[in-house]
Amino acid sequence: GSPLLAITKQQQTGLQAYLTERGINAQVEIAMTYGNPSVADVLAELKAQGVGKLLVIPLYPQYAGSSTGAALDKVFQELLLQRNQMSVRTVSRYYDDAAYIQAMKQHIEAYWAQNGRSEKLMLSFHGIPQKHHDNGDPYPDECHHTAKLLAQALGLSEQEYIVSFQSQFGKSQWVK
């Protein structure tokens, strides 16, 4: 199957187990903005089960209108169709959360332990059009902040890491 769906299901299972072990009564579900399980289907299922409170966490650490914003837009569009809406809370970003930085640090250190450490660490983020940033999208700034926090956690100097942005396409200027 799709690696994205398989990994997301692993995250769902892990979070459900974590909450259950701590006695937190919450149901963890996944939904895809473009794909299945769809946001509409998952919200309808939760509503049919009598769920009245919803916490939405798009799996994008840094906020971009084209990712986190689009995911939240889809959820709210579906909720607008409900006569009796669930209470909703959202997490729109977690780029500087200590647990997120620690998890990234552990992942990199495990890789280094198995494969060795190079002279420089490249922290590569997906790009967005420069116009989005110029219009107020905080994504590149949050990516740079994540990189700085991660470098600090790893004990790296500014010369030992670099930030890059990938996946540029089209004729418009993208963040660099």
Side-chain angles (χ1 to χ4, degrees), residues 128-161:
I128 63 169
Q130 182 64 46
K131 185 176 182 177
H132 292 193
H133 181 53
D134 294 344
N135 289 335
D137 200 312
Y139 177 77
D141 300 327
E142 292 180 3
C143 291
H144 281 284
H145 193 72
T146 296
K148 182 178 179 182
L149 292 173
L150 182 55
Q152 288 173 347
L154 291 165
L156 300 177
S157 70
E158 288 185 19
Q159 295 73 36
E160 294 177 297
Y161 77 98

PDB file of all heavy atoms in Angstrom, residues 128-161:
ATOM      1  N   ILE A 128       7.797  26.227  -0.816  1.00  0.00           N
ATOM      2  CA  ILE A 128       6.531  26.880  -1.163  1.00  0.00           C
ATOM      3  C   ILE A 128       6.872  28.058  -2.068  1.00  0.00           C
ATOM      4  O   ILE A 128       8.006  28.551  -2.060  1.00  0.00           O
ATOM      5  CB  ILE A 128       5.738  27.366   0.077  1.00  0.00           C
ATOM      6  CG1 ILE A 128       6.517  28.441   0.844  1.00  0.00           C
ATOM      7  CG2 ILE A 128       5.348  26.202   0.971  1.00  0.00           C
ATOM      8  CD1 ILE A 128       5.705  29.160   1.904  1.00  0.00           C
ATOM      9  N   PRO A 129       5.928  28.524  -2.850  1.00  0.00           N
ATOM     10  CA  PRO A 129       6.190  29.715  -3.665  1.00  0.00           C
ATOM     11  C   PRO A 129       6.567  30.916  -2.793  1.00  0.00           C
ATOM     12  O   PRO A 129       5.980  31.131  -1.729  1.00  0.00           O
ATOM     13  CB  PRO A 129       4.864  29.951  -4.393  1.00  0.00           C
ATOM     14  CG  PRO A 129       4.216  28.602  -4.437  1.00  0.00           C
ATOM     15  CD  PRO A 129       4.597  27.957  -3.129  1.00  0.00           C
ATOM     16  N   GLN A 130       7.555  31.683  -3.246  1.00  0.00           N
ATOM     17  CA  GLN A 130       8.006  32.866  -2.517  1.00  0.00           C
ATOM     18  C   GLN A 130       6.842  33.824  -2.268  1.00  0.00           C
ATOM     19  O   GLN A 130       6.767  34.453  -1.217  1.00  0.00           O
ATOM     20  CB  GLN A 130       9.123  33.576  -3.284  1.00  0.00           C
ATOM     21  CG  GLN A 130       9.685  34.795  -2.569  1.00  0.00           C
ATOM     22  CD  GLN A 130      10.375  34.469  -1.269  1.00  0.00           C
ATOM     23  OE1 GLN A 130      11.161  33.533  -1.201  1.00  0.00           O
ATOM     24  NE2 GLN A 130      10.081  35.218  -0.212  1.00  0.00           N
ATOM     25  N   LYS A 131       5.914  33.900  -3.221  1.00  0.00           N
ATOM     26  CA  LYS A 131       4.761  34.800  -3.075  1.00  0.00           C
ATOM     27  C   LYS A 131       3.933  34.446  -1.842  1.00  0.00           C
ATOM     28  O   LYS A 131       3.403  35.336  -1.173  1.00  0.00           O
ATOM     29  CB  LYS A 131       3.896  34.747  -4.339  1.00  0.00           C
ATOM     30  CG  LYS A 131       2.764  35.727  -4.338  1.00  0.00           C
ATOM     31  CD  LYS A 131       1.993  35.709  -5.642  1.00  0.00           C
ATOM     32  CE  LYS A 131       0.898  36.752  -5.614  1.00  0.00           C
ATOM     33  NZ  LYS A 131       0.176  36.816  -6.881  1.00  0.00           N
ATOM     34  N   HIS A 132       3.806  33.160  -1.535  1.00  0.00           N
ATOM     35  CA  HIS A 132       3.055  32.756  -0.334  1.00  0.00           C
ATOM     36  C   HIS A 132       3.716  33.338   0.915  1.00  0.00           C
ATOM     37  O   HIS A 132       3.036  33.848   1.811  1.00  0.00           O
ATOM     38  CB  HIS A 132       2.984  31.242  -0.221  1.00  0.00           C
ATOM     39  CG  HIS A 132       2.148  30.594  -1.269  1.00  0.00           C
ATOM     40  ND1 HIS A 132       1.757  29.279  -1.178  1.00  0.00           N
ATOM     41  CD2 HIS A 132       1.629  31.042  -2.432  1.00  0.00           C
ATOM     42  CE1 HIS A 132       1.029  28.960  -2.233  1.00  0.00           C
ATOM     43  NE2 HIS A 132       0.951  30.020  -3.017  1.00  0.00           N
ATOM     44  N   HIS A 133       5.045  33.242   0.970  1.00  0.00           N
ATOM     45  CA  HIS A 133       5.773  33.786   2.122  1.00  0.00           C
ATOM     46  C   HIS A 133       5.654  35.311   2.162  1.00  0.00           C
ATOM     47  O   HIS A 133       5.428  35.895   3.224  1.00  0.00           O
ATOM     48  CB  HIS A 133       7.236  33.355   2.071  1.00  0.00           C
ATOM     49  CG  HIS A 133       8.058  33.832   3.222  1.00  0.00           C
ATOM     50  ND1 HIS A 133       7.702  33.618   4.529  1.00  0.00           N
ATOM     51  CD2 HIS A 133       9.221  34.517   3.264  1.00  0.00           C
ATOM     52  CE1 HIS A 133       8.619  34.142   5.336  1.00  0.00           C
ATOM     53  NE2 HIS A 133       9.548  34.703   4.586  1.00  0.00           N
ATOM     54  N   ASP A 134       5.787  35.934   0.993  1.00  0.00           N
ATOM     55  CA  ASP A 134       5.666  37.397   0.929  1.00  0.00           C
ATOM     56  C   ASP A 134       4.293  37.871   1.392  1.00  0.00           C
ATOM     57  O   ASP A 134       4.163  38.974   1.929  1.00  0.00           O
ATOM     58  CB  ASP A 134       5.915  37.886  -0.498  1.00  0.00           C
ATOM     59  CG  ASP A 134       7.347  37.654  -0.972  1.00  0.00           C
ATOM     60  OD1 ASP A 134       8.228  37.395  -0.124  1.00  0.00           O
ATOM     61  OD2 ASP A 134       7.569  37.705  -2.196  1.00  0.00           O
ATOM     62  N   ASN A 135       3.274  37.029   1.213  1.00  0.00           N
ATOM     63  CA  ASN A 135       1.914  37.363   1.631  1.00  0.00           C
ATOM     64  C   ASN A 135       1.616  36.976   3.077  1.00  0.00           C
ATOM     65  O   ASN A 135       0.466  37.035   3.504  1.00  0.00           O
ATOM     66  CB  ASN A 135       0.899  36.724   0.689  1.00  0.00           C
ATOM     67  CG  ASN A 135       0.878  37.371  -0.676  1.00  0.00           C
ATOM     68  OD1 ASN A 135       1.236  38.533  -0.814  1.00  0.00           O
ATOM     69  ND2 ASN A 135       0.473  36.631  -1.690  1.00  0.00           N
ATOM     70  N   GLY A 136       2.640  36.541   3.819  1.00  0.00           N
ATOM     71  CA  GLY A 136       2.462  36.293   5.244  1.00  0.00           C
ATOM     72  C   GLY A 136       2.538  34.853   5.705  1.00  0.00           C
ATOM     73  O   GLY A 136       2.393  34.571   6.894  1.00  0.00           O
ATOM     74  N   ASP A 137       2.765  33.909   4.797  1.00  0.00           N
ATOM     75  CA  ASP A 137       2.870  32.502   5.198  1.00  0.00           C
ATOM     76  C   ASP A 137       4.156  32.323   6.007  1.00  0.00           C
ATOM     77  O   ASP A 137       5.252  32.605   5.519  1.00  0.00           O
ATOM     78  CB  ASP A 137       2.895  31.614   3.951  1.00  0.00           C
ATOM     79  CG  ASP A 137       2.518  30.185   4.251  1.00  0.00           C
ATOM     80  OD1 ASP A 137       3.073  29.621   5.224  1.00  0.00           O
ATOM     81  OD2 ASP A 137       1.686  29.625   3.530  1.00  0.00           O
ATOM     82  N   PRO A 138       4.080  31.844   7.258  1.00  0.00           N
ATOM     83  CA  PRO A 138       5.248  31.759   8.127  1.00  0.00           C
ATOM     84  C   PRO A 138       6.132  30.525   7.897  1.00  0.00           C
ATOM     85  O   PRO A 138       7.147  30.344   8.566  1.00  0.00           O
ATOM     86  CB  PRO A 138       4.631  31.701   9.526  1.00  0.00           C
ATOM     87  CG  PRO A 138       3.351  30.950   9.316  1.00  0.00           C
ATOM     88  CD  PRO A 138       2.849  31.438   7.965  1.00  0.00           C
ATOM     89  N   TYR A 139       5.762  29.674   6.964  1.00  0.00           N
ATOM     90  CA  TYR A 139       6.416  28.374   6.796  1.00  0.00           C
ATOM     91  C   TYR A 139       7.949  28.437   6.734  1.00  0.00           C
ATOM     92  O   TYR A 139       8.618  27.741   7.504  1.00  0.00           O
ATOM     93  CB  TYR A 139       5.834  27.669   5.567  1.00  0.00           C
ATOM     94  CG  TYR A 139       6.473  26.357   5.254  1.00  0.00           C
ATOM     95  CD1 TYR A 139       6.163  25.216   6.000  1.00  0.00           C
ATOM     96  CD2 TYR A 139       7.380  26.227   4.218  1.00  0.00           C
ATOM     97  CE1 TYR A 139       6.752  23.995   5.716  1.00  0.00           C
ATOM     98  CE2 TYR A 139       7.977  25.011   3.933  1.00  0.00           C
ATOM     99  CZ  TYR A 139       7.663  23.900   4.677  1.00  0.00           C
ATOM    100  OH  TYR A 139       8.257  22.702   4.396  1.00  0.00           O
ATOM    101  N   PRO A 140       8.553  29.241   5.861  1.00  0.00           N
ATOM    102  CA  PRO A 140      10.027  29.222   5.810  1.00  0.00           C
ATOM    103  C   PRO A 140      10.670  29.639   7.134  1.00  0.00           C
ATOM    104  O   PRO A 140      11.676  29.056   7.548  1.00  0.00           O
ATOM    105  CB  PRO A 140      10.380  30.208   4.698  1.00  0.00           C
ATOM    106  CG  PRO A 140       9.142  30.347   3.891  1.00  0.00           C
ATOM    107  CD  PRO A 140       7.993  30.118   4.837  1.00  0.00           C
ATOM    108  N   ASP A 141      10.082  30.617   7.799  1.00  0.00           N
ATOM    109  CA  ASP A 141      10.623  31.065   9.083  1.00  0.00           C
ATOM    110  C   ASP A 141      10.536  29.949  10.122  1.00  0.00           C
ATOM    111  O   ASP A 141      11.481  29.731  10.901  1.00  0.00           O
ATOM    112  CB  ASP A 141       9.871  32.297   9.580  1.00  0.00           C
ATOM    113  CG  ASP A 141       9.970  33.466   8.625  1.00  0.00           C
ATOM    114  OD1 ASP A 141      11.015  33.624   7.951  1.00  0.00           O
ATOM    115  OD2 ASP A 141       8.991  34.228   8.532  1.00  0.00           O
ATOM    116  N   GLU A 142       9.416  29.234  10.129  1.00  0.00           N
ATOM    117  CA  GLU A 142       9.248  28.138  11.085  1.00  0.00           C
ATOM    118  C   GLU A 142      10.200  26.987  10.761  1.00  0.00           C
ATOM    119  O   GLU A 142      10.726  26.331  11.668  1.00  0.00           O
ATOM    120  CB  GLU A 142       7.793  27.685  11.120  1.00  0.00           C
ATOM    121  CG  GLU A 142       6.887  28.753  11.728  1.00  0.00           C
ATOM    122  CD  GLU A 142       5.425  28.374  11.798  1.00  0.00           C
ATOM    123  OE1 GLU A 142       5.062  27.232  11.426  1.00  0.00           O
ATOM    124  OE2 GLU A 142       4.622  29.226  12.217  1.00  0.00           O
ATOM    125  N   CYS A 143      10.453  26.737   9.475  1.00  0.00           N
ATOM    126  CA  CYS A 143      11.426  25.704   9.083  1.00  0.00           C
ATOM    127  C   CYS A 143      12.816  26.067   9.596  1.00  0.00           C
ATOM    128  O   CYS A 143      13.526  25.218  10.158  1.00  0.00           O
ATOM    129  CB  CYS A 143      11.461  25.530   7.568  1.00  0.00           C
ATOM    130  SG  CYS A 143       9.976  24.802   6.862  1.00  0.00           S
ATOM    131  N   HIS A 144      13.226  27.323   9.402  1.00  0.00           N
ATOM    132  CA  HIS A 144      14.540  27.767   9.874  1.00  0.00           C
ATOM    133  C   HIS A 144      14.629  27.675  11.400  1.00  0.00           C
ATOM    134  O   HIS A 144      15.679  27.310  11.939  1.00  0.00           O
ATOM    135  CB  HIS A 144      14.835  29.188   9.394  1.00  0.00           C
ATOM    136  CG  HIS A 144      15.276  29.254   7.966  1.00  0.00           C
ATOM    137  ND1 HIS A 144      16.539  28.891   7.554  1.00  0.00           N
ATOM    138  CD2 HIS A 144      14.605  29.623   6.851  1.00  0.00           C
ATOM    139  CE1 HIS A 144      16.641  29.045   6.245  1.00  0.00           C
ATOM    140  NE2 HIS A 144      15.475  29.478   5.791  1.00  0.00           N
ATOM    141  N   HIS A 145      13.538  27.991  12.081  1.00  0.00           N
ATOM    142  CA  HIS A 145      13.535  27.904  13.546  1.00  0.00           C
ATOM    143  C   HIS A 145      13.655  26.448  14.000  1.00  0.00           C
ATOM    144  O   HIS A 145      14.406  26.148  14.926  1.00  0.00           O
ATOM    145  CB  HIS A 145      12.272  28.558  14.111  1.00  0.00           C
ATOM    146  CG  HIS A 145      12.333  28.796  15.579  1.00  0.00           C
ATOM    147  ND1 HIS A 145      13.121  29.778  16.152  1.00  0.00           N
ATOM    148  CD2 HIS A 145      11.727  28.168  16.611  1.00  0.00           C
ATOM    149  CE1 HIS A 145      12.995  29.732  17.461  1.00  0.00           C
ATOM    150  NE2 HIS A 145      12.144  28.769  17.775  1.00  0.00           N
ATOM    151  N   THR A 146      12.926  25.543  13.335  1.00  0.00           N
ATOM    152  CA  THR A 146      13.052  24.110  13.634  1.00  0.00           C
ATOM    153  C   THR A 146      14.496  23.672  13.456  1.00  0.00           C
ATOM    154  O   THR A 146      15.058  22.968  14.305  1.00  0.00           O
ATOM    155  CB  THR A 146      12.135  23.269  12.712  1.00  0.00           C
ATOM    156  OG1 THR A 146      10.780  23.604  12.977  1.00  0.00           O
ATOM    157  CG2 THR A 146      12.342  21.776  12.930  1.00  0.00           C
ATOM    158  N   ALA A 147      15.092  24.067  12.342  1.00  0.00           N
ATOM    159  CA  ALA A 147      16.476  23.677  12.054  1.00  0.00           C
ATOM    160  C   ALA A 147      17.433  24.180  13.133  1.00  0.00           C
ATOM    161  O   ALA A 147      18.316  23.436  13.587  1.00  0.00           O
ATOM    162  CB  ALA A 147      16.897  24.208  10.689  1.00  0.00           C
ATOM    163  N   LYS A 148      17.241  25.416  13.559  1.00  0.00           N
ATOM    164  CA  LYS A 148      18.111  25.980  14.596  1.00  0.00           C
ATOM    165  C   LYS A 148      17.969  25.219  15.915  1.00  0.00           C
ATOM    166  O   LYS A 148      18.963  24.873  16.560  1.00  0.00           O
ATOM    167  CB  LYS A 148      17.786  27.461  14.797  1.00  0.00           C
ATOM    168  CG  LYS A 148      18.661  28.149  15.810  1.00  0.00           C
ATOM    169  CD  LYS A 148      18.311  29.626  15.933  1.00  0.00           C
ATOM    170  CE  LYS A 148      19.190  30.298  16.966  1.00  0.00           C
ATOM    171  NZ  LYS A 148      18.853  31.707  17.134  1.00  0.00           N
ATOM    172  N   LEU A 149      16.729  24.936  16.305  1.00  0.00           N
ATOM    173  CA  LEU A 149      16.502  24.190  17.545  1.00  0.00           C
ATOM    174  C   LEU A 149      17.075  22.774  17.464  1.00  0.00           C
ATOM    175  O   LEU A 149      17.667  22.278  18.422  1.00  0.00           O
ATOM    176  CB  LEU A 149      15.003  24.129  17.865  1.00  0.00           C
ATOM    177  CG  LEU A 149      14.341  25.450  18.255  1.00  0.00           C
ATOM    178  CD1 LEU A 149      12.833  25.264  18.373  1.00  0.00           C
ATOM    179  CD2 LEU A 149      14.932  25.998  19.545  1.00  0.00           C
ATOM    180  N   LEU A 150      16.905  22.135  16.319  1.00  0.00           N
ATOM    181  CA  LEU A 150      17.425  20.788  16.138  1.00  0.00           C
ATOM    182  C   LEU A 150      18.949  20.799  16.148  1.00  0.00           C
ATOM    183  O   LEU A 150      19.576  19.937  16.785  1.00  0.00           O
ATOM    184  CB  LEU A 150      16.891  20.190  14.836  1.00  0.00           C
ATOM    185  CG  LEU A 150      17.303  18.764  14.519  1.00  0.00           C
ATOM    186  CD1 LEU A 150      16.959  17.803  15.661  1.00  0.00           C
ATOM    187  CD2 LEU A 150      16.633  18.313  13.226  1.00  0.00           C
ATOM    188  N   ALA A 151      19.559  21.763  15.485  1.00  0.00           N
ATOM    189  CA  ALA A 151      21.018  21.870  15.487  1.00  0.00           C
ATOM    190  C   ALA A 151      21.537  22.082  16.907  1.00  0.00           C
ATOM    191  O   ALA A 151      22.536  21.462  17.311  1.00  0.00           O
ATOM    192  CB  ALA A 151      21.460  23.010  14.573  1.00  0.00           C
ATOM    193  N   GLN A 152      20.853  22.923  17.670  1.00  0.00           N
ATOM    194  CA  GLN A 152      21.248  23.144  19.066  1.00  0.00           C
ATOM    195  C   GLN A 152      21.143  21.852  19.866  1.00  0.00           C
ATOM    196  O   GLN A 152      22.039  21.515  20.649  1.00  0.00           O
ATOM    197  CB  GLN A 152      20.389  24.229  19.702  1.00  0.00           C
ATOM    198  CG  GLN A 152      20.684  25.617  19.206  1.00  0.00           C
ATOM    199  CD  GLN A 152      19.695  26.659  19.725  1.00  0.00           C
ATOM    200  OE1 GLN A 152      18.637  26.338  20.271  1.00  0.00           O
ATOM    201  NE2 GLN A 152      20.026  27.932  19.524  1.00  0.00           N
ATOM    202  N   ALA A 153      20.054  21.117  19.669  1.00  0.00           N
ATOM    203  CA  ALA A 153      19.856  19.859  20.394  1.00  0.00           C
ATOM    204  C   ALA A 153      20.934  18.842  20.031  1.00  0.00           C
ATOM    205  O   ALA A 153      21.348  18.039  20.877  1.00  0.00           O
ATOM    206  CB  ALA A 153      18.468  19.289  20.096  1.00  0.00           C
ATOM    207  N   LEU A 154      21.386  18.876  18.790  1.00  0.00           N
ATOM    208  CA  LEU A 154      22.427  17.953  18.334  1.00  0.00           C
ATOM    209  C   LEU A 154      23.836  18.468  18.634  1.00  0.00           C
ATOM    210  O   LEU A 154      24.820  17.769  18.383  1.00  0.00           O
ATOM    211  CB  LEU A 154      22.289  17.715  16.821  1.00  0.00           C
ATOM    212  CG  LEU A 154      21.073  16.922  16.377  1.00  0.00           C
ATOM    213  CD1 LEU A 154      20.857  17.068  14.870  1.00  0.00           C
ATOM    214  CD2 LEU A 154      21.212  15.454  16.770  1.00  0.00           C
ATOM    215  N   GLY A 155      23.939  19.684  19.152  1.00  0.00           N
ATOM    216  CA  GLY A 155      25.239  20.274  19.452  1.00  0.00           C
ATOM    217  C   GLY A 155      26.009  20.682  18.209  1.00  0.00           C
ATOM    218  O   GLY A 155      27.244  20.664  18.207  1.00  0.00           O
ATOM    219  N   LEU A 156      25.305  21.084  17.158  1.00  0.00           N
ATOM    220  CA  LEU A 156      25.952  21.467  15.904  1.00  0.00           C
ATOM    221  C   LEU A 156      26.193  22.970  15.852  1.00  0.00           C
ATOM    222  O   LEU A 156      25.344  23.760  16.267  1.00  0.00           O
ATOM    223  CB  LEU A 156      25.075  21.081  14.704  1.00  0.00           C
ATOM    224  CG  LEU A 156      24.740  19.600  14.531  1.00  0.00           C
ATOM    225  CD1 LEU A 156      23.810  19.408  13.333  1.00  0.00           C
ATOM    226  CD2 LEU A 156      26.010  18.785  14.354  1.00  0.00           C
ATOM    227  N   SER A 157      27.324  23.350  15.289  1.00  0.00           N
ATOM    228  CA  SER A 157      27.589  24.766  15.029  1.00  0.00           C
ATOM    229  C   SER A 157      26.893  25.156  13.737  1.00  0.00           C
ATOM    230  O   SER A 157      26.433  24.292  12.976  1.00  0.00           O
ATOM    231  CB  SER A 157      29.101  24.997  14.899  1.00  0.00           C
ATOM    232  OG  SER A 157      29.573  24.404  13.696  1.00  0.00           O
ATOM    233  N   GLU A 158      26.838  26.443  13.446  1.00  0.00           N
ATOM    234  CA  GLU A 158      26.202  26.910  12.212  1.00  0.00           C
ATOM    235  C   GLU A 158      26.897  26.366  10.972  1.00  0.00           C
ATOM    236  O   GLU A 158      26.277  26.221   9.922  1.00  0.00           O
ATOM    237  CB  GLU A 158      26.170  28.436  12.171  1.00  0.00           C
ATOM    238  CG  GLU A 158      25.176  29.040  13.141  1.00  0.00           C
ATOM    239  CD  GLU A 158      25.062  30.552  12.997  1.00  0.00           C
ATOM    240  OE1 GLU A 158      25.463  31.097  11.945  1.00  0.00           O
ATOM    241  OE2 GLU A 158      24.563  31.176  13.951  1.00  0.00           O
ATOM    242  N   GLN A 159      28.173  26.039  11.078  1.00  0.00           N
ATOM    243  CA  GLN A 159      28.926  25.502   9.947  1.00  0.00           C
ATOM    244  C   GLN A 159      28.663  24.013   9.717  1.00  0.00           C
ATOM    245  O   GLN A 159      29.026  23.473   8.683  1.00  0.00           O
ATOM    246  CB  GLN A 159      30.434  25.715  10.145  1.00  0.00           C
ATOM    247  CG  GLN A 159      30.871  27.171  10.149  1.00  0.00           C
ATOM    248  CD  GLN A 159      30.479  27.926  11.408  1.00  0.00           C
ATOM    249  OE1 GLN A 159      30.484  27.377  12.505  1.00  0.00           O
ATOM    250  NE2 GLN A 159      30.100  29.186  11.245  1.00  0.00           N
ATOM    251  N   GLU A 160      28.022  23.356  10.673  1.00  0.00           N
ATOM    252  CA  GLU A 160      27.826  21.908  10.575  1.00  0.00           C
ATOM    253  C   GLU A 160      26.454  21.501  10.041  1.00  0.00           C
ATOM    254  O   GLU A 160      26.176  20.317   9.926  1.00  0.00           O
ATOM    255  CB  GLU A 160      28.055  21.258  11.944  1.00  0.00           C
ATOM    256  CG  GLU A 160      29.499  21.361  12.412  1.00  0.00           C
ATOM    257  CD  GLU A 160      29.695  20.788  13.795  1.00  0.00           C
ATOM    258  OE1 GLU A 160      29.094  21.324  14.763  1.00  0.00           O
ATOM    259  OE2 GLU A 160      30.438  19.788  13.906  1.00  0.00           O
ATOM    260  N   TYR A 161      25.625  22.481   9.697  1.00  0.00           N
ATOM    261  CA  TYR A 161      24.324  22.149   9.101  1.00  0.00           C
ATOM    262  C   TYR A 161      23.920  23.220   8.098  1.00  0.00           C
ATOM    263  O   TYR A 161      24.429  24.337   8.112  1.00  0.00           O
ATOM    264  CB  TYR A 161      23.245  21.957  10.166  1.00  0.00           C
ATOM    265  CG  TYR A 161      22.693  23.221  10.777  1.00  0.00           C
ATOM    266  CD1 TYR A 161      21.491  23.767  10.329  1.00  0.00           C
ATOM    267  CD2 TYR A 161      23.351  23.869  11.818  1.00  0.00           C
ATOM    268  CE1 TYR A 161      20.973  24.922  10.896  1.00  0.00           C
ATOM    269  CE2 TYR A 161      22.843  25.022  12.390  1.00  0.00           C
ATOM    270  CZ  TYR A 161      21.653  25.543  11.924  1.00  0.00           C
ATOM    271  OH  TYR A 161      21.146  26.687  12.475  1.00  0.00           O
TER     272      TYR A 161
END
